[in-house]
Amino acid sequence: MSEIRRRQLLQGTAGILATGIFPAIHAQEKITLRYLGTAVNQDKAIAEKFKADTGIAIQYIAVNTDEVTKRAVTSPNSFDLIDTEYFSLKKIVPTGNLKGIDTKRIKNADKITTLFTTGVVGGKAVGDQGTAPKKVIYLEGEKSKVFAKAPTQFMSLIPTVYNADTLGIRPDLIKRPIDSWAELLNPEFKGKAAILNIPSIGIMDAAMVVEAKGLYKYPDKGNMTRKEIDLTIKTLIEAKKAGQFRSLWKDFNESVNLMASGEVVIQSMWSPAVTAVRTKGIDCVFQPLKEGYRAWAAGFGVPATSSGKKLDATYEFINWFLDGWAGAYLNRQGYYSAVLETAKAKMEAYEWAYWMEGKAAEKDIKSPNGDLLAKAGSKRDGGSYEQRMGGIACWNALMDENTYMVQKWNEFVAA
Amino acid sequence: MKSTALTAGPPAWLQALPFGAVFLFFFVAPLLLIGAVSFWPTSDYELIPGFTGQNYVSIFEGCSNLAEPCVTLKTYWSTLRFSLLTWAAALLIGFTIAYFLAFHVRSPGMQTLLFVICTIPFWTSNVIRMISWVPLLGRNGLVNQGLMGLGVVDKPVDWLLFSEFSVVLAFVHLYTMFMLVPIFNSMMRIDRSLLEAADDCGASGWQTLWNVIVPLSRTGILIGSIFVITIVMGDFVTVGVMGGQQIASVGKVIQVQTSYLQFPLAAANAVVLLAVVLMIIVALTRLVNLRKEL
């Protein structure tokens, strides 16, 4: 802003202050936060409730996981708040495009689940293969480009939602119990299986299958060597050539459509996608498997250039998000919220028992939009929070050999 | 002969300047940039200027072994095959429809009406046009239900959807219009007296078609072919949606690379693709002298 314009503005502001009508104008000033993330987390109801509570509007920018990272790296001024996964941080943080979030300004910072801060659930350490959040959640300072080894005042992302993924199946079409990742490549489901076409996540699922089939045991599935990548992709290519896959899917809706239409009976899947299939009245199970889960976690980050009122509004949104209403909303969708205590306060006791404690539902369980999810008496797949999150085998990851991995993944797609 | 019209207005170069500037800024400059980036070293989150042939080397790595073709050859082969199949089908359908509109429909009003009907597929976005095939061709789709109901098959036919068939089908559905329009345009310019002359000389319908109409429509055929082939060569959305994401195309490889921020590699791939497409266009224009015909 030029010097002259700023002076005029200051004079103008002073004039308005003198007349005593400034507060009214301030109240009318509309702040809109541009919220960049994947469609899954961008719920209309959350934006509406936040607007009603605080007067701040949320403008959702919905893109896919890869695109979120790309935007964060290439155009960090195109959003005020980013909702991205922890594994993407390895790409974003070194660019210096993210600002460390001051935990002193986050009311519930010390109530964030220990899964993120120390990697512990119910007193038990969970698997930390891959990009476990505890490895990347702290920054050395507000403007740091490196991750801190020990907890500090500045967080890279404030966790919002997370979950443990496994295979989704159609029990009505499979008609037998499924208990291992190896089933994904079982020729019995030839032409009826699907896998995720987001290379960095798809390869983790493939690695779970390779281990389940007893082909190889990885020292760290989330950071493979070239040889390990070759082996994993070779396994996938062999299966593809044998006609195993019906389709590869890239976004939430694709996976729901594949499953709901019966094109696919077994596929790697996200929990809310299973919920979405079920609300259509189709039997679909988010199947716990003996080898454990592949976990992921997303959180809010703030662009480095954010300042002033926008920054304050961003903090207000993050604080509001951790305050319970949004957490309860997400828990009812089958995700988990970062601060359990506040979410519990906003949920009915029977809901909490069903979603978080793995108990049989006392009443019918409904989704936030009122669709029937589970009848009274049924239990959540995979049991309680501690059972599920305690069963994490690895986390979504960004490998050191990422470039090579993507190249090999293209080979798989071309095979 | 110096015509006054040429000297009356501003000089020709000035008239060409606005479009030339747009062309330079939005086409030539980005193209040069892509060319430059394709020689930069690969890195995940930073673009570091430099000069290396590594990107091109890695594209063609292992391509000398023809027994086990490399990814690049395989993807180009599948992309070229899609282009060729789509081109053949679009040409056949487009030519037939254009012929019907130009020579069988008498009144200009009716011609316009039918022409507008041909554009109906373009009234919705192309993703919706593609997705609408899914409930039709799927395992439990209408076609399969029909076939099973008629007792033609006893198990749903799998190759209808998420296959090369469905990809080509969608391409033909999407792009035949680009073939139809230029062919129709050429046909409308054919002097009708030539057809009468052919008839007077005793040519059969097929002879007239082959010796008069096809040669006179070749400009339209060429322009349509360039449209269809260049679009299909670069497409990644249709191949993705209709191929169940598991069929490769050159565009798709570039898309995956850009989404993983591997811009130098993607740029190198784009340069190679551009070279291939340009070669195809040059080969096509060898067949017809566009300047002379227009």
Side-chain angles (χ1 to χ4, degrees):
Chain A
M1 193 187 292
S2 75
E3 185 61 22
I4 295 172
R5 271 202 59 206
R6 198 166 70 211
R7 278 206 196 130
Q8 282 171 340
L9 207 74
L10 285 172
Q11 281 167 2
T13 315
I16 292 168
L17 278 175
T19 61
I21 57 166
F22 188 73
I25 286 180
H26 174 77
Q28 277 168 9
E29 187 184 19
K30 287 190 184 101
I31 295 181
T32 301
L33 289 177
R34 293 167 300 167
Y35 176 138
L36 176 72
T38 56
V40 190
N41 299 351
Q42 303 191 331
D43 212 298
K44 205 165 151 243
I46 291 177
E48 278 168 2
K49 175 73 176 160
F50 179 62
K51 178 103 197 259
D53 286 358
T54 63
I56 300 169
I58 297 282
Q59 181 201 341
Y60 284 134
I61 308 167
V63 293
N64 66 37
T65 312
D66 297 337
E67 188 70 19
V68 174
T69 315
K70 198 160 87 182
R71 286 244 205 155
V73 172
T74 57
S75 49
N77 295 325
S78 66
F79 54 88
D80 304 309
L81 176 75
I82 187 173
D83 177 358
T84 188
E85 288 191 41
Y86 279 84
F87 75 85
S88 305
L89 285 177
K90 278 192 172 176
K91 272 188 190 170
I92 304 172
V93 166
T95 63
N97 288 350
L98 280 193
K99 191 184 220 127
I101 297 175
D102 189 348
T103 50
K104 291 216 169 107
R105 290 183 69 179
I106 305 292
K107 203 176 73 189
N108 288 313
D110 51 352
K111 290 182 190 156
I112 290 172
T113 163
T114 51
L115 179 63
F116 286 88
T117 50
T118 55
V120 172
V121 165
K124 197 181 115 217
V126 299
D128 64 352
Q129 286 191 15
T131 312
K134 66 171 184 185
K135 297 178 188 168
V136 294
I137 197 168
Y138 291 109
L139 295 180
E140 285 185 347
E142 190 175 15
K143 285 182 182 162
S144 174
K145 292 184 184 181
V146 284
F147 302 110
K149 301 230 157 37
T152 66
Q153 186 189 334
F154 294 98
M155 279 194 177
S156 52
L157 297 180
I158 296 285
T160 49
V161 293
Y162 50 100
N163 211 330
D165 286 349
T166 180
L167 295 176
I169 63 165
R170 280 282 298 266
D172 54 329
L173 298 175
I174 290 182
K175 298 182 184 113
R176 71 174 175 82
I178 296 287
D179 71 342
S180 165
W181 278 90
E183 300 280 6
L184 186 63
L185 294 191
N186 188 339
E188 184 187 333
F189 307 120
K190 186 177 154 186
K192 293 175 183 175
I195 192 168
L196 196 59
N197 192 18
I198 299 175
S200 52
I201 307 178
I203 194 145
M204 301 294 282
D205 286 346
M208 294 296 281
V209 175
V210 167
E211 279 193 355
K213 289 176 70 140
L215 295 173
Y216 182 72
K217 186 120 184 83
Y218 302 84
D220 184 350
K221 285 187 277 297
N223 205 1
M224 299 184 193
T225 62
R226 287 194 172 208
K227 263 194 172 159
E228 287 167 346
I229 293 170
D230 287 346
L231 167 83
T232 318
I233 297 286
K234 193 175 136 246
T235 313
L236 284 178
I237 290 179
E238 276 167 12
K240 187 181 170 191
K241 285 201 168 142
Q244 184 71 9
F245 301 115
R246 179 75 175 142
S247 172
L248 311 180
W249 61 268
K250 190 144 191 173
D251 72 37
F252 182 87
N253 293 326
E254 270 177 337
S255 76
V256 172
N257 290 340
L258 285 172
M259 206 64 162
S261 64
E263 297 292 328
V264 158
V265 299
I266 184 168
Q267 67 176 354
S268 51
M269 216 168 168
W270 295 332
S271 168
V274 172
T275 312
V277 174
R278 238 189 254 180
T279 48
K280 290 174 197 266
I282 295 163
D283 197 8
C284 184
V285 172
F286 194 58
Q287 183 62 52
L289 304 167
K290 62 185 178 201
E291 294 88 8
Y293 296 86
R294 172 184 54 72
W296 60 269
F300 288 140
V302 179
T305 48
S306 184
S307 63
K309 288 220 176 68
K310 279 259 171 152
L311 184 62
D312 294 342
T314 309
Y315 271 107
E316 193 169 347
F317 179 65
I318 296 172
N319 273 315
W320 176 87
F321 201 91
L322 296 181
D323 206 37
W325 189 90
Y329 187 90
L330 296 166
N331 281 357
R332 288 190 194 106
Q333 283 185 322
Y335 288 121
Y336 293 114
S337 59
V339 181
L340 299 176
E341 201 179 308
T342 55
K344 187 176 184 178
K346 299 278 164 91
M347 289 171 86
E348 302 287 334
Y350 76 90
E351 286 182 314
W352 183 262
Y354 172 81
W355 287 114
M356 303 302 286
E357 291 168 347
K359 291 183 182 149
E362 277 174 39
K363 299 182 196 169
D364 284 354
I365 298 293
K366 297 208 169 130
S367 77
N369 0 329
D371 297 325
L372 180 70
L373 287 185
K375 293 223 169 70
S378 57
K379 282 185 184 172
R380 182 176 187 175
D381 306 325
S384 69
Y385 176 80
E386 286 181 12
Q387 270 177 307
R388 275 174 148 229
M389 299 319 282
I392 292 172
C394 61
W395 293 83
N396 279 355
L398 187 77
M399 303 186 186
D400 295 337
E401 289 287 357
N402 188 46
T403 309
Y404 182 74
M405 191 273 288
V406 173
Q407 197 183 332
K408 295 298 281 185
W409 188 268
N410 275 334
E411 260 176 55
F412 162 59
V413 175
Chain B
M1 185 186 72
K2 276 239 165 186
S3 102
T4 45
L6 274 177
T7 47
W13 63 267
L14 200 64
Q15 296 180 28
L17 195 64
F19 189 69
V22 168
F23 193 67
L24 198 72
F25 195 76
F26 290 103
F27 183 71
V28 178
L31 208 59
L32 290 177
L33 204 64
I34 288 175
V37 171
S38 72
F39 288 105
W40 288 6
T42 308
S43 108
D44 260 357
Y45 45 82
E46 273 174 305
L47 285 170
I48 307 157
F51 188 86
T52 166
Q54 189 53 43
N55 298 316
Y56 290 94
V57 173
S58 70
I59 290 175
F60 293 109
E61 211 161 23
C63 289
S64 51
N65 176 11
L66 288 176
E68 181 58 46
C70 62
V71 180
T72 308
L73 280 185
K74 267 195 217 161
T75 45
Y76 271 93
W77 169 235
S78 79
T79 312
L80 278 171
R81 210 173 47 223
F82 284 136
S83 292
L84 213 64
L85 288 171
T86 310
W87 171 78
L91 178 61
L92 189 71
I93 300 169
F95 189 89
T96 315
I97 297 173
Y99 183 85
F100 175 77
L101 286 179
F103 299 116
H104 283 266
V105 181
R106 297 284 170 204
S107 80
M110 197 59 178
Q111 258 173 356
T112 315
L113 180 74
L114 291 174
F115 198 77
V116 169
I117 289 178
C118 288
T119 64
I120 285 180
F122 287 82
W123 294 3
T124 55
S125 90
N126 81 359
V127 173
I128 290 175
R129 271 179 276 157
M130 280 185 267
I131 289 173
S132 57
W133 284 107
V134 175
L136 198 65
L137 300 176
R139 190 174 277 138
N140 303 312
L142 269 178
V143 172
N144 266 323
Q145 280 173 6
L147 288 176
M148 294 198 0
L150 290 171
V152 182
V153 290
D154 50 357
K155 242 176 31 190
V157 186
D158 272 349
W159 56 260
L160 285 174
L161 189 60
F162 302 144
S163 61
E164 298 202 347
F165 167 78
S166 57
V167 173
V168 174
L169 184 73
F171 273 138
V172 172
H173 172 205
L174 294 173
Y175 303 132
T176 298
M177 194 63 192
F178 292 109
M179 191 65 106
L180 196 159
V181 175
I183 296 180
F184 176 68
N185 190 29
S186 305
M187 283 179 175
M188 289 306 283
R189 296 176 185 205
I190 296 175
D191 192 340
R192 295 299 191 267
S193 56
L194 290 173
L195 303 184
E196 283 163 21
D199 195 41
D200 290 346
C201 294
S204 69
W206 283 108
Q207 279 175 323
T208 313
L209 179 73
W210 194 244
N211 295 314
V212 180
I213 296 175
V214 171
L216 290 175
S217 318
R218 62 183 178 176
T219 321
I221 295 176
L222 176 74
I223 295 174
S225 305
I226 291 176
F227 277 148
V228 170
I229 290 173
T230 49
I231 293 173
V232 176
M233 285 297 290
D235 180 278
F236 60 90
V237 181
T238 314
V239 174
V241 175
M242 298 303 291
Q245 305 286 358
Q246 51 170 334
I247 293 173
S249 78
V250 184
K252 189 113 188 93
V253 169
I254 296 175
Q255 187 223 1
V256 172
Q257 282 165 343
T258 53
S259 66
Y260 275 76
L261 303 168
Q262 298 169 354
F263 292 118
L265 257 178
N269 255 316
V271 169
V272 174
L273 175 62
L274 185 68
V276 171
V277 172
L278 283 179
M279 281 193 289
I280 296 175
I281 292 177
V282 169
L284 282 172
T285 45
R286 279 280 163 91
L287 300 173
V288 178
N289 187 339
L290 258 189
R291 279 198 195 193
K292 211 178 100 200
E293 301 284 340
L294 287 173

